[in-house]
Amino acid sequence: MADDNFIRLVEVGARDGLQNEQRALSPETRVQLLTRLADAGLQTLEAGAFVSPRWVPQMAGSDQVLKQLPARPGVTWTALVPNLQGLEAALAAGCREVAVFVAASEAFSQKNTNCSIAESLNRVHAVMTRAREAGVKVRGYISCVMGCPFTGEVKPEDVAAISASLYQMGCYEISLGDTIGTGTPAATKALILACNQHLPLSALAGHFHDTYGMAIANIYAAIEAGVRVFDSSVAGLGGCPYSPGATGNVATEEVVYLLNGLSIKHGVNIDALIDIGVFINAELDRKVTSSVARALLAKRSNRSLS
Ligand code: HMG
Ligand code: MG
């Protein structure tokens, strides 16, 4: 039986994070980032995306990343795939788990994948059929679950209907993506309740971007509502190239700090995460944006002065 006092973190920094950084990193640096994150205790890590390099150049070389990553007991390296072509490339690179993605807003679906929601569900269907044949697990994302950057409001029942389709097609888990970070705790709870009409809470995950500083509050609300899986990104890397103004995913450091305060188990070493944040920010020539990382780094430097 699942331990209700354990939360599984899905580290998406090397995909959702890096896909939106100005500086594209080499496959070798991405492998270094991912192996250090696994050393820190993260067990599910999205390592890349088999999408068009014309659409997202930062994810070029994902095949090399996946091929270079060592097989490690207890660790799953996953990759995002938009269609059958992406799945075939992921399989050729040795992926044993992939993630598909669908938007809850027509406008976002067009901007992100050049097709309607219905067409992207058809693409998912084709991916599911081939993945089943190959014995590969599939996770599903839904974007814009609490708002669309182009058309505004998104209804919880529309998201719930898409979550039901993905679950029925065989996605073992549906990650609810607040792509533009406009969600609030009340909206988070309403969304989870709507999706839970169609699928069990154990099949839901939260994916919060921190654009409005609400991500941690939303995660707390989702925990209270019974969700036990969350996506996060070391150093708060990330955003979405087709979502103007979206900032990074919630920082893994911040989720771990929250869970420590709640005495919820997660298996991740926060000190190691802070070091990895310093490493990746330096590689990207980026400032430390996570409040928890800033505070813990300041504490370290005060300690070394005294
Ligand atoms: P398209 O241009 O409509 O594709 O793009 P097409 O089928 O017409 O093919 C055009 C060209 O793309 C062809 O090449 C294909 O081979 C190639 P050409 O003959 O012109 O040389 N192509 C591909 N190349 C590599 N990998 C593939 C692939 N498929 C076709 N898989 C497509 C459609 C879906 C490919 C494109 O729109 C795309 O790659 N979109 C990805 C956008 C993306 O990665 N967005 C970010 C991820 S989603 C996200 O971040 C949200 C999430 O984090 C949750 C949240 O926060 O909400 C998950
Ligand atoms: Mg995202």
Side-chain angles (χ1 to χ4, degrees):
M1 211 178 80
D3 179 354
D4 197 45
N5 197 42
F6 178 83
I7 280 183
R8 186 164 65 87
L9 295 178
V10 177
E11 172 61 43
V12 296
R15 192 279 302 170
D16 204 356
L18 296 185
Q19 77 182 8
N20 202 38
E21 295 292 338
Q22 292 285 329
R23 188 179 287 184
L25 299 184
S26 68
E28 289 69 28
T29 307
R30 285 144 68 187
V31 168
Q32 206 184 334
L33 169 67
L34 285 154
T35 36
R36 286 185 67 170
L37 287 164
D39 290 342
L42 287 147
Q43 294 199 308
T44 311
L45 301 99
E46 214 166 66
F50 292 89
V51 298
S52 163
R54 255 189 267 163
W55 287 61
V56 188
Q58 295 89 334
M59 288 294 101
S62 288
D63 56 336
Q64 292 168 56
V65 174
L66 266 301
K67 281 179 191 161
Q68 284 175 39
L69 284 168
R72 290 171 70 142
V75 171
T76 306
W77 312 111
T78 77
L80 197 73
V81 301
N83 54 17
L84 208 44
Q85 185 174 336
L87 175 64
E88 293 298 350
L91 293 176
C95 254
R96 300 307 302 154
E97 178 172 330
V98 297
V100 291
F101 54 108
V102 173
S105 136
E106 286 294 351
F108 190 86
S109 183
Q110 290 294 346
K111 293 271 186 197
N112 200 32
T113 50
N114 201 23
C115 69
S116 66
I117 297 173
E119 177 55 27
S120 68
L121 286 169
N122 287 339
R123 288 179 187 176
V124 169
H125 189 266
V127 167
M128 296 307 302
T129 307
R130 174 73 179 104
R132 204 171 294 120
E133 203 180 275
V136 162
K137 282 175 79 178
V138 184
R139 188 175 197 244
Y141 282 105
I142 308 176
S143 292
C144 297
V145 295
M146 288 190 279
C148 167
F150 309 107
T151 51
E153 195 201 352
V154 172
K155 293 193 174 69
E157 49 280 21
D158 293 346
V159 179
I162 297 172
S163 72
S165 301
L166 292 175
Y167 191 62
Q168 279 158 17
M169 279 195 259
C171 290
Y172 75 92
E173 187 170 278
I174 315 299
S175 175
L176 302 171
D178 184 13
T179 317
I180 55 169
T182 49
T184 59
T188 299
K189 282 189 174 171
L191 177 67
I192 291 164
L193 199 67
C195 293
N196 190 213
Q197 305 295 310
H198 302 274
L199 57 154
L201 285 171
S202 59
L204 288 173
H207 177 110
F208 296 100
H209 286 250
D210 206 28
T211 319
Y212 287 73
M214 288 288 113
I216 284 292
N218 293 340
I219 289 175
Y220 187 61
I223 293 171
E224 284 198 324
V227 174
R228 290 293 176 271
V229 183
F230 294 96
D231 303 349
S232 62
S233 182
V234 68
L237 303 174
C240 178
Y242 304 105
S243 175
T247 59
N249 293 91
V250 65
T252 309
E253 298 86 311
E254 307 203 344
V255 184
V256 166
Y257 186 81
L258 171 77
L259 299 181
N260 287 345
L262 294 169
S263 302
I264 295 178
K265 290 180 271 176
H266 48 75
V268 183
N269 180 323
I270 196 162
D271 291 320
L273 277 182
I274 301 298
D275 293 337
I276 300 166
V278 169
F279 155 73
I280 199 64
N281 280 324
E283 290 291 336
L284 293 164
D285 196 18
R286 184 181 182 275
K287 290 201 171 63
V288 178
T289 54
S290 155
S291 317
V292 166
R294 270 207 302 264
L296 292 179
L297 284 167
K299 202 166 161 185
R300 272 189 198 176
S301 66
N302 287 342
R303 226 184 278 135
S304 67
L305 288 176
S306 60

